[in-house]
Amino acid sequence: MTNRIFLSLLACLYSIVLLAQIPKAPDRKEGEGPISQLIIRGVTLINGNGAPPIGPVDIVIEKNRIVRVASAGSPGMPASPNRVQLKEGGKEINCEGMYALPGFVDMHGHIGGRAQGTPAEYVYKLWMAHGITTIRDPSAGNGLDWTLEEKKRSAENKITAPRILAYTSFGMGAKQPITTAAQAEEWVRENARKGADGIKFFGAAPEIMDAAIRENKKLGLRSCCHHAQMSVARWNVLSSARAGLTSMEHWYGLPEALFTDRTVQHYPADYNYNNEQHRFEEAGKLWKQAAPPHSDHWNKVMNELLALDFTLDPTFNIYDANRDLHKARRAEWHEEYTLPSLWKFYEPSRESHGSYWFNWGTEQEIAWKENYRLWMTFVNEYKNRGGRVTTGSDNGFIYQTYGFGYIRELELLREAGFHPLEVIRAATLNGAQALGMDKEIGTVEAGKLADLVIIDANPLENLQYLYGTGAVYLTDKNEITRKGGVKYTIKDGIVYDAKKLLADVKQMVDAEKKKTGWKLMQPGMH
Ligand SMILES: [Zn+2]
């Protein structure tokens, strides 16, 4: 999101960013490790490479590295006698009956800002409680220095947080508007010098986009783009991919590349981009204006994107409310885990970004359901033809709360047609590849960093088990229970009790409720 920033004059960006900073995370009190040897015993491994589950295995970790994944016998049989031995000073965790997955990558993880009123600790703990061990912050909305400082503290495990990659919003910190290719290149070089991991674009004039993307790539950095409507008529996803962009965010710019009987979206005469009901309602009719699935032009665009090794980061979940507002608003976790200030930000407003519920009902929702159908068809086929699709949440907007919205993203990939194992691969290895980090993370393999998710239920059977609140499960004795919720999140060999992290979040929410006397109410019901 963060379209407001895009709309501001580049020269003003720096001060806006400074104003929007949120409190940094406190020093780490949570987690155990890393230790000389840690053995995850008897677990079933669901790896991120498309392989089927295998178990029981013992995953051996030394300090922050996986050193071995060893067979621990046959399913349902007594433990094999020649299992990996525990060394002195080591520790083992019995994970029989549990499942281990690589740590999740959130490719679109805004750390939050003043508008949401969410301290970094709140956001990080929600992410870690949902198994997210790496995030790409697309914009570095709290400022590049702020984000790089948090990145460093996270890398040193001084805070409880995922690994952080900072993709600076293009033009951030520029002293004057960038109007030439030479200025764009200079900004790109300066961004790299400052230590950013990449750039987040929102679109600009073609010669600026072309110069900036190419220069950034030449320097070995990566990039992503939300092709906002203000620039998309001249520069769409295909233009970006040809210049060497790494990933497209959301979906804007893709229907435009697929137009055959028009060159701009069918905007009504009274459309105003700054009126978000206009913006999002009309966007819901956009895919219908593009070439139909499997038509010649549709195939041609897809095949060119595939040939360019382009990554799609759809962030399906962030528009989920558009097709079922009640469901998103009433999600069961809001009560206990959505901070009052965040809830306030979600409420209908002509000013908050992503709160365009002026008059949102049946017509808008039905249009968006059709929009999703066409969009999902493209994304699923892209995956089937070998294309890379990743998982990004864009949470902290539109009733999607950090962590929970990420799991919803997994469900929506499943809905698009992904096999659950393809969903897990999108969430792990594909993200690692798109970040250029697949030598270090993305699968559970000897030599890689020890980033893992451990859960007491099989997520392939029901991805909802991964929600912090788990999934409803009725026992044989007719008792209503909950199944799942991540049990341990391991990052860099440090074991975090995921449920404890979630309890910390609830405590933060409770404290805020007490302080403000706030009670969750549905809009307009007071
Ligand atoms: Zn965003």
Side-chain angles (χ1 to χ4, degrees):
M1 288 290 131
T2 62
N3 264 348
R4 297 265 167 213
I5 293 180
F6 160 73
L7 284 170
S8 314
L9 284 174
L10 291 177
C12 300
L13 270 173
Y14 197 57
S15 52
I16 288 170
V17 161
L18 284 181
L19 280 175
Q21 281 181 350
I22 54 169
K24 285 180 180 161
D27 289 340
R28 179 168 71 91
K29 295 184 291 288
E30 305 78 15
E32 220 189 301
I35 55 173
S36 55
Q37 189 198 39
L38 171 70
I39 306 180
I40 310 293
R41 291 280 191 205
V43 78
T44 299
L45 174 63
I46 302 174
N47 218 334
N49 51 10
I54 182 169
V57 297
D58 290 340
I59 301 171
V60 188
I61 296 164
E62 288 178 9
K63 301 263 179 54
N64 66 339
R65 294 263 168 201
I66 298 163
V67 296
R68 225 181 129 186
V69 180
S71 171
S74 304
M77 297 299 289
S80 149
N82 39 20
R83 286 171 79 168
V84 184
Q85 294 293 306
L86 189 70
K87 291 183 193 161
E88 211 185 300
K91 192 192 153 163
E92 48 192 359
I93 307 177
N94 180 7
C95 291
E96 278 167 37
M98 297 187 202
Y99 293 80
L101 299 84
F104 298 145
V105 179
D106 189 339
M107 291 289 284
H108 202 112
H110 295 288
I111 299 175
R114 273 280 187 82
Q116 286 90 348
T118 47
E121 181 186 6
Y122 169 83
V123 177
Y124 296 155
K125 283 188 171 169
L126 277 173
W127 278 335
M128 294 282 283
H130 287 92
I132 297 161
T133 51
T134 301
I135 68 110
R136 178 178 68 172
D137 182 345
S139 296
N142 290 290
L144 182 58
D145 293 344
W146 187 100
T147 311
L148 289 176
E149 175 73 14
E150 289 291 87
K151 172 188 172 167
K152 182 163 175 282
R153 293 173 77 215
S154 173
E156 292 167 352
N157 296 307
K158 287 185 174 153
I159 53 175
T160 298
R163 301 174 192 284
I164 294 169
L165 286 103
Y167 279 44
T168 324
S169 188
F170 177 66
M172 188 160 86
K175 301 282 180 289
Q176 49 193 320
I178 295 169
T179 57
T180 67
Q183 283 175 326
E185 285 165 3
E186 185 42 43
W187 184 92
V188 168
R189 285 190 290 267
E190 180 63 18
N191 184 55
R193 270 196 295 273
K194 284 179 180 162
D197 298 293
I199 304 175
K200 159 83 175 284
F201 292 95
F202 289 95
E207 62 275 19
I208 304 238
M209 287 297 287
D210 193 63
I213 295 172
R214 285 180 198 282
E215 183 67 12
N216 188 61
K217 194 176 180 187
K218 218 168 78 188
L219 297 173
L221 267 56
R222 292 174 186 243
S223 54
C224 60
C225 183
H226 164 168
H227 295 82
Q229 274 112 332
M230 296 309 290
S231 300
V232 79
R234 292 196 292 169
W235 185 271
N236 62 39
V237 162
L238 210 43
S239 334
S240 279
R242 286 170 182 159
L245 188 85
T246 312
S247 72
M248 62 170 289
E249 304 304 297
H250 321 304
W251 56 284
Y252 312 105
L254 187 50
E256 287 83 352
L258 294 167
F259 283 163
T260 52
D261 59 355
R262 70 197 68 224
T263 63
V264 294
Q265 181 182 333
H266 181 72
Y267 297 112
D270 68 347
Y271 182 99
N272 181 339
Y273 185 72
N274 267 358
N275 176 317
E276 289 203 0
Q277 168 107 20
H278 288 181
R279 194 196 306 178
F280 287 89
E281 179 170 344
E282 290 306 318
K285 304 169 189 164
L286 183 49
W287 271 98
K288 255 191 352 211
Q289 297 163 43
H294 303 286
S295 62
D296 284 351
H297 188 61
W298 192 89
N299 280 320
K300 209 175 121 240
V301 170
M302 180 176 296
N303 289 335
E304 186 172 350
L305 294 176
L306 286 163
L308 292 164
D309 193 30
F310 194 59
T311 298
L312 309 188
D313 189 38
T315 70
F316 284 124
N317 78 98
I318 201 62
Y319 309 97
D320 202 21
N322 293 356
R323 53 179 201 163
D324 193 345
L325 180 53
H326 277 76
K327 179 191 155 98
R329 255 198 300 120
R330 305 293 308 235
E332 61 185 5
W333 41 83
H334 286 315
E335 218 83 43
E336 295 188 338
Y337 301 107
T338 296
L339 259 191
S341 58
L342 184 55
W343 182 263
K344 182 94 195 103
F345 181 68
Y346 292 154
E347 282 185 329
S349 165
R350 291 175 188 274
E351 291 174 329
S352 302
H353 178 44
S355 306
Y356 40 85
W357 322 113
F358 307 180
N359 184 14
W360 197 272
T362 311
E363 292 306 309
Q364 291 75 13
E365 292 189 0
I366 300 298
W368 266 94
K369 281 181 186 174
E370 177 67 2
N371 215 38
Y372 264 82
R373 200 183 62 77
L374 295 165
W375 176 20
M376 284 177 159
T377 303
F378 190 96
V379 173
N380 190 48
E381 182 64 13
Y382 196 76
K383 174 265 298 174
N384 288 345
R385 294 188 196 175
R388 188 182 306 104
V389 177
T390 55
T391 50
S393 71
D394 200 11
N395 286 170
F397 301 93
I398 321 182
Y399 291 110
Q400 297 299 334
T401 296
Y402 307 95
F404 292 100
Y406 183 83
I407 304 306
R408 182 69 189 140
E409 186 66 18
L410 307 189
E411 284 202 86
L412 290 171
L413 286 170
R414 179 76 190 92
E415 185 183 324
F418 285 47
H419 183 281
L421 285 167
E422 293 175 326
V423 174
I424 300 302
R425 183 176 59 193
T428 55
L429 183 58
N430 287 5
Q433 285 174 342
L435 294 172
M437 292 176 75
D438 51 308
K439 293 239 167 19
E440 291 284 54
I441 59 166
T443 53
V444 176
E445 266 180 87
K448 286 200 179 181
L449 292 168
D451 287 5
L452 294 111
V453 181
I454 294 177
I455 177 166
D456 204 358
N458 183 357
L460 301 181
E461 173 188 293
N462 183 0
L463 291 164
Q464 293 173 2
Y465 292 152
L466 289 163
Y467 284 119
T469 41
V472 175
Y473 188 79
L474 192 67
T475 68
D476 299 345
K477 298 192 178 71
N478 208 30
E479 294 154 335
I480 305 169
T481 62
R482 288 280 166 150
K483 202 165 168 174
V486 172
K487 191 167 174 61
Y488 303 114
T489 298
I490 303 178
K491 178 213 162 199
D492 228 15
I494 300 174
V495 183
Y496 295 87
D497 178 337
K499 297 194 176 179
K500 174 74 180 47
L501 296 178
L502 206 60
D504 288 355
V505 168
K506 184 175 180 300
Q507 225 174 47
M508 293 173 80
V509 172
D510 285 346
E512 190 63 25
K513 280 181 184 169
K514 222 173 133 190
K515 209 170 88 190
T516 57
W518 176 88
K519 215 175 137 263
L520 189 148
M521 301 273 272
Q522 293 302 326
M525 300 288 276
H526 329 168

